[in-house]
């Protein structure tokens, strides 16, 4: 599998590009390992590392289907017509497909992937793919700022507590704050690192966020996994 890794336009995340066959092969590999995307998945499971990894699987599947980023002869495809769809099937070598994630999503996805590896057997060939992705994440973050990279490095190298039963909620909580901050200009890696502390087990930020979730669940009379982040939907209109 051959991928190209790029910083997004405003360096708020990363893009991964490849041909359709490459993404299809990746999907087959990860779905054979974990088969995470299942109808009727409980809210508790959706909030765990399995839910985070399922989101990644879902995005990979829709990428090779052409539902994410697409280029034809190196130029972005901005819309689909019947003719374009026919071309997409008949001349696949002219197309390149891709997907993008914010940096908080990237870090949580990788933590979830490694957590999956702890609990399930998988083909040995998944390890080079994970290693390649990890190396390029590090490379792109260093490209953003060599001096600030050390602040976020622990979260690239395994500090995220992926066994957190509310990992998806933690990811969404951090992601919303991260994207909101980007409205005011470039987001330093040091700010990302500060946000990420609540993903590290045993820290004051981790315990405080968990206490906040418990407090809201008691007030609303629901389970913690049923809580949802209150989001101004325009936050997701930001061009990464």
């Amino acid at each position: 599998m051959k991928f190209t890794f790029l910083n997004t336009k405003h360096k708020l995340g990363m893009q991964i590009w490849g041909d359709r066959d490459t993404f299809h092969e990746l999907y087959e590999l990860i779905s054979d390992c974990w088969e995470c995307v299942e109808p009727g998945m409980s809210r508790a499971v959706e909030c765990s590392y399995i839910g985070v990894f399922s989101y990644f699987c879902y995005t990979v599947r829709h990428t090779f289907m052409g539902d994410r980023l697409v280029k034809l002869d190196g130029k972005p495809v901005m819309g689909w017509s019947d003719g374009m769809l026919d071309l997409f099937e008949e001349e696949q070598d002219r197309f390149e497909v891709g997907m993008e994630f914010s940096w908080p999503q990237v870090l949580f996805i990788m933590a979830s992937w490694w957590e999956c590896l702890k609990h399930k057997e998988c083909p040995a060939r998944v390890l080079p793919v994970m290693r390649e992705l990890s190396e390029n994440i590090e490379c792109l973050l260093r490209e953003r700022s060599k001096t600030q990279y050390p602040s976020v490095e622990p979260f690239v190298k395994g500090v995220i507590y992926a066994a957190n039963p509310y990992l998806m909620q933690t990811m969404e909580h951090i992601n919303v704050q991260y994207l909101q901050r980007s409205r005011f200009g470039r987001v330093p890696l040091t700010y990302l690192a500060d946000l990420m502390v609540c993903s590290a087990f045993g820290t004051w930020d981790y315990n405080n966020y968990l206490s906040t979730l418990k407090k809201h669940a008691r007030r609303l009379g629901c389970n913690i996994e049923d809580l949802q982040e209150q989001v101004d939907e325009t936050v997701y209109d930001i061009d990464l």
Side-chain angles (χ1 to χ4, degrees):
M1 288 180 277
K2 184 177 181 181
F3 295 103
T4 300
F5 301 89
L6 302 171
N7 266 299
T8 55
K9 180 180 178 181
H10 297 297
K11 300 187 184 299
L12 293 173
M14 71 181 297
Q15 293 183 345
I16 306 173
W17 290 90
D19 59 36
R20 291 183 68 189
D21 286 343
T22 294
F23 276 96
H24 187 269
E25 185 180 354
L26 175 61
Y27 179 73
E28 291 293 321
L29 177 62
I30 59 182
S31 62
D32 282 348
C33 288
W34 297 284
E35 200 60 50
C36 290
V37 184
E38 298 178 356
M41 183 183 290
S42 71
R43 284 291 300 146
V45 173
E46 286 178 359
C47 289
S48 71
Y49 71 92
I50 294 176
V52 175
F53 193 72
S54 296
Y55 166 66
F56 177 64
C57 293
Y58 177 87
T59 304
V60 172
R61 177 164 64 90
H62 280 266
T63 298
F64 76 73
M65 293 168 61
D67 291 339
R68 293 298 182 265
L69 307 175
V70 184
K71 291 180 183 178
L72 170 61
D73 299 330
K75 297 180 180 179
V77 174
M78 306 307 295
W80 292 97
S81 63
D82 290 342
M84 184 67 75
L85 287 169
D86 290 340
L87 200 63
F88 190 61
E89 297 300 331
E90 296 168 2
E91 300 188 39
Q92 295 188 22
D93 58 331
R94 296 177 59 190
F95 286 86
E96 189 177 12
V97 294
M99 57 186 183
E100 66 181 9
F101 301 99
S102 68
W103 281 119
Q105 290 173 330
V106 169
L107 297 176
F108 276 89
I109 286 169
M110 288 308 301
S112 299
W113 199 344
W114 286 110
E115 189 69 16
C116 284
L117 197 63
K118 293 179 184 177
H119 297 280
K120 294 265 190 171
E121 293 184 4
C122 67
R125 63 195 180 98
V126 75
L127 292 173
V129 177
M130 296 175 73
R131 188 177 302 114
E132 180 185 10
L133 186 52
S134 297
E135 289 173 353
N136 278 277
I137 289 168
E138 182 175 350
C139 181
L140 290 176
L141 286 170
R142 286 184 183 276
E143 184 180 302
R144 276 202 55 183
S145 175
K146 289 183 179 179
T147 56
Q148 294 180 10
Y149 173 74
S151 67
V152 79
E153 184 177 20
F155 304 100
V156 179
K157 298 293 180 67
V159 165
I160 296 173
Y161 178 53
N164 178 354
Y166 313 113
L167 193 69
M168 176 68 83
Q169 287 161 311
T170 307
M171 179 180 77
E172 278 297 296
H173 173 69
I174 293 172
N175 196 45
V176 167
Q177 294 182 75
Y178 176 76
L179 294 179
Q180 285 176 335
R181 172 65 174 77
S182 70
R183 291 174 169 176
F184 305 102
R186 186 167 179 175
V187 184
L189 289 185
T190 49
Y191 180 78
L192 173 60
D194 289 342
L195 292 178
M196 292 294 300
V197 174
C198 73
S199 71
F201 183 78
T203 61
W204 183 89
D205 299 73
Y206 178 94
N207 293 330
N208 183 60
Y209 181 60
L210 181 59
S211 295
T212 301
L213 290 176
K214 290 178 178 178
K215 180 179 69 175
H216 286 310
R218 284 195 301 269
R219 179 172 61 84
L220 297 172
C222 65
N223 295 322
I224 291 177
E225 57 265 25
D226 294 322
L227 294 172
Q228 293 183 331
E229 189 80 17
Q230 290 187 338
V231 183
D232 175 359
E233 291 300 326
T234 60
V235 75
Y236 293 114
D237 294 335
I238 295 169
D239 184 355
L240 291 178

